[in-house]
Amino acid sequence: MFDSLSDKLQNVVKKLKGQTRITEKELKEMLREVKLALLEADVNYKVVKEFIANIESKALGEDVMKSLTPGQQVVKIVKDELIELLGSSESKLNISSNPPTVIMLVGLQGSGKTTLCGKLSNYLRKQGKKPLMVACDVYRPAAVKQLETIGKSLNIDVYSEPESQNVVEIATNGIKKARSKLCDVVIVDTAGRLQIDEKLMDELVDLKKAIRPHEIMLVIDAMTGQEAVNVASTFNEKLGIDSITMSKLDSDSRGGAALSVKSITKKPIKFASVGEKLSDLEPFYPDRVASRILGMGDVLSIIDKAEEAYDEEQAIALEKKIRKNEFTLDDYLDQMKKIRKMGSFKQILAMLPGIPKEIRDAEIDERQLLRIDAIITSMTKEERRNPKILNGSRRLRIAKGSGNKVQDVNRFMEQFEQMQKMMKSMMSGKGKFGKMKMPKF
């Protein structure tokens, strides 16, 4: 996410941090580099101009220029302005005190509205809500079927009228259905066009008048860059949006759209779609995104992901097993699955502070996890519980069953035994974790 912009700004930050004194000339040169980095990232020119002016006025203040660590203070100013540009703080959904809350998704065709409908429903269900999705994209071929397939995979209800093209009637009936099923959130998936036209806007305006949504959420493809500003401005002017969700943000190496739309529309970015899975939706935290861009990490997001993957009782039970040296291959497999739920290793590395670029950009073969999974699941229950019984013939059978070589099984078992010893040593207070390496195949 924002790799290109991030690399350029991090180079500027490194130069500044090492400065014990900083002149006005040096500051202007630094700001020129920041300006070029933002323009190359396809950030709106007016936004860049205001951003640079704000930094310059604050950084040239007497307290900063005469301080003992002006470089660090300027870095803080850059970070604070970046947070302000992205929206200051997290913005939550407008949830009605009188259910159901109606959320209307709008945007151009291909922006990811239908997929977001499923992702948002899944997210809200985890928050204790009971959502209903309403299929109002009646023009795009197979759009209704796509939403029904998503609903089936999530086990979340979808309301549709395949024979009708009256979107106002479909949405109104969908809200009635939600009330009868005691659903407290209705998410309406609307039709888009390849470009903004009067017919699209008139239909959305009519729909807004009929269903009176508590939240009109504009879905923007983060890859569109500068064009995202025009799209957001038009939708806001014609329809009056309440919030923005950035789709495909994980694929956006530049960041121009995310850094421009909030400033131009004055509407908050509330969510970021960061992957293809229906669980890959995150609340948008401006401070965390700013920290990631400047290479300062995002430990809070890692903690959020860990808390989602683990519950307190499981963590306590796991600690007891480790203390008693009863950590089995079944436990190992379970922990591996939980880590994978947190996201890819590349995503997690990107959130850690101080990780060098060459490590962040290194190709990580996550298929190794699947190979380990295959090795463990090729074992019997007794073998997973007590791997000491794994003799040569058993290891040969496991290798054949998992599609690996005996040497691969041996290498994995050696590393598992090392990990057990380290865990036991750590819990006894006699040692520390060493550098664990993923088995190579």
Side-chain angles (χ1 to χ4, degrees):
M1 182 170 68
F2 303 166
D3 288 344
S4 178
L5 174 63
S6 185
D7 290 342
K8 290 181 173 67
L9 291 185
Q10 283 178 44
N11 287 333
V12 174
V13 165
K14 281 179 186 175
K15 291 178 190 175
L16 282 170
K17 281 184 175 177
Q19 296 285 340
T20 53
R21 304 297 296 170
I22 187 168
T23 66
E24 186 173 335
K25 183 181 177 182
E26 288 169 334
L27 179 66
K28 287 185 179 295
E29 180 59 34
M30 179 275 294
L31 289 175
R32 182 177 173 277
E33 289 183 44
V34 173
K35 181 180 180 179
L36 287 173
L38 292 169
L39 290 173
E40 284 176 22
D42 211 13
V43 180
N44 180 272
Y45 178 75
K46 290 180 181 178
V47 174
V48 174
K49 188 178 179 182
E50 186 178 347
F51 180 75
I52 296 298
N54 289 343
I55 294 174
E56 187 171 14
S57 65
K58 291 176 182 177
L60 286 174
E62 193 174 331
D63 292 340
V64 173
M65 299 304 287
K66 290 185 177 180
S67 69
L68 294 175
T69 57
Q72 290 182 1
Q73 289 206 37
V74 173
V75 170
K76 183 180 182 303
I77 291 168
V78 171
K79 183 184 176 185
D80 289 345
E81 286 302 313
L82 202 52
I83 293 170
E84 186 67 29
L85 192 65
L86 290 164
S88 299
S89 59
E90 179 201 6
S91 296
K92 296 185 181 294
L93 285 171
N94 299 321
I95 300 296
S96 173
S97 57
N98 184 25
T101 296
V102 179
I103 300 171
M104 181 174 155
L105 302 183
V106 300
L108 294 183
Q109 190 171 306
S111 61
K113 291 190 304 299
T114 303
T115 304
L116 179 68
C117 196
K119 288 183 176 183
L120 188 57
S121 296
N122 189 38
Y123 172 84
L124 289 169
R125 183 172 58 182
K126 289 177 184 176
Q127 308 299 311
K129 303 293 183 184
K130 185 182 178 183
L132 174 75
M133 296 185 280
V134 179
C136 284
D137 187 350
V138 296
Y139 306 116
R140 182 169 62 89
V144 174
K145 193 69 179 173
Q146 182 190 354
L147 192 62
E148 288 174 344
T149 302
I150 289 171
K152 189 175 181 181
S153 69
L154 292 170
N155 197 25
I156 293 176
D157 289 338
V158 174
Y159 181 83
S160 65
E161 295 180 16
E163 304 303 317
S164 174
Q165 287 205 326
N166 188 330
V167 293
V168 170
E169 196 173 276
I170 295 169
T172 304
N173 291 341
I175 294 169
K176 288 178 183 175
K177 188 72 172 178
R179 289 196 178 100
S180 69
K181 293 175 75 71
L182 300 179
C183 295
D184 48 12
V185 179
V186 177
I187 304 176
V188 181
D189 179 31
T190 67
R193 301 286 191 280
L194 293 175
Q195 60 186 29
I196 296 169
D197 58 31
E198 288 302 317
K199 186 180 177 183
L200 167 66
M201 285 302 171
D202 289 345
E203 184 177 275
L204 292 176
V205 169
D206 290 343
L207 187 58
K208 176 185 176 181
K209 288 176 182 176
I211 65 175
R212 296 182 181 179
H214 301 93
E215 178 113 25
I216 298 178
M217 183 179 289
L218 174 64
V219 186
I220 289 182
D221 182 343
M223 303 289 285
T224 55
Q226 191 73 213
E227 181 58 24
V229 174
N230 299 329
V231 172
S233 298
T234 304
F235 269 93
N236 189 39
E237 181 186 331
K238 303 280 187 181
L239 196 63
I241 62 173
D242 298 296
S243 62
I244 297 163
T245 287
M246 306 299 301
S247 66
K248 305 174 193 173
L249 200 61
D250 56 313
S251 303
D252 180 22
S253 64
R254 296 188 300 173
L259 288 166
S260 301
V261 292
K262 164 61 177 67
S263 181
I264 296 294
T265 64
K266 309 301 180 188
K267 303 297 179 181
I269 301 172
K270 291 192 178 179
F271 290 96
S273 182
V274 292
E276 295 180 3
K277 293 186 290 186
L278 292 171
S279 56
D280 291 337
L281 184 71
E282 298 177 353
F284 190 84
Y285 297 97
D287 55 339
R288 300 185 191 183
V289 174
S291 289
R292 282 196 224 180
I293 291 172
L294 296 175
M296 298 174 183
D298 183 5
V299 177
L300 289 175
S301 286
I302 295 178
I303 292 170
D304 285 348
K305 288 177 180 289
E307 286 179 345
E308 191 174 320
Y310 292 82
D311 65 45
E312 193 174 351
E313 287 183 10
Q314 288 176 329
I316 292 169
L318 179 63
E319 184 185 346
K320 286 179 180 177
K321 280 194 169 189
I322 294 171
R323 286 188 183 280
K324 293 178 181 179
N325 199 28
E326 294 174 354
F327 185 81
T328 67
L329 284 161
D330 278 323
D331 297 320
Y332 182 95
L333 189 62
D334 183 54
Q335 297 312 304
M336 196 168 70
K337 287 177 180 176
K338 283 182 167 61
I339 290 171
R340 285 167 66 186
K341 277 176 67 178
M342 290 171 62
S344 69
F345 282 125
K346 205 153 192 173
Q347 285 176 327
I348 294 170
L349 280 175
M351 295 180 195
L352 292 170
I355 298 294
K357 183 180 184 297
E358 55 271 20
I359 294 178
R360 280 192 289 112
D361 293 346
E363 286 300 318
I364 300 170
D365 186 3
E366 300 202 14
R367 289 175 298 179
Q368 289 184 30
L369 294 175
L370 298 176
R371 293 182 181 128
I372 293 171
D373 190 305
I375 288 173
I376 297 174
T377 52
S378 295
M379 298 178 186
T380 65
K381 287 183 179 180
E382 180 60 23
E383 287 167 347
R384 294 200 293 268
R385 191 186 67 81
N386 182 21
K388 289 181 180 179
I389 66 173
L390 291 177
N391 55 26
S393 61
R394 287 175 183 262
R395 291 182 185 224
L396 179 61
R397 189 201 80 244
I398 293 164
K400 287 181 178 179
S402 63
N404 290 292
K405 298 175 183 176
V406 174
Q407 296 95 310
D408 299 330
V409 177
N410 291 340
R411 191 182 299 117
F412 167 66
M413 290 312 304
E414 285 172 13
Q415 295 222 342
F416 178 72
E417 288 168 13
Q418 287 175 12
M419 187 181 68
Q420 280 184 313
K421 288 176 184 176
M422 284 183 183
M423 285 179 167
K424 185 179 180 182
S425 175
M426 184 193 74
M427 288 299 180
S428 64
K430 295 178 181 177
K432 295 180 180 179
F433 273 117
K435 290 183 178 178
M436 291 296 294
K437 294 182 180 178
M438 182 72 68
K440 292 182 180 178
F441 293 93

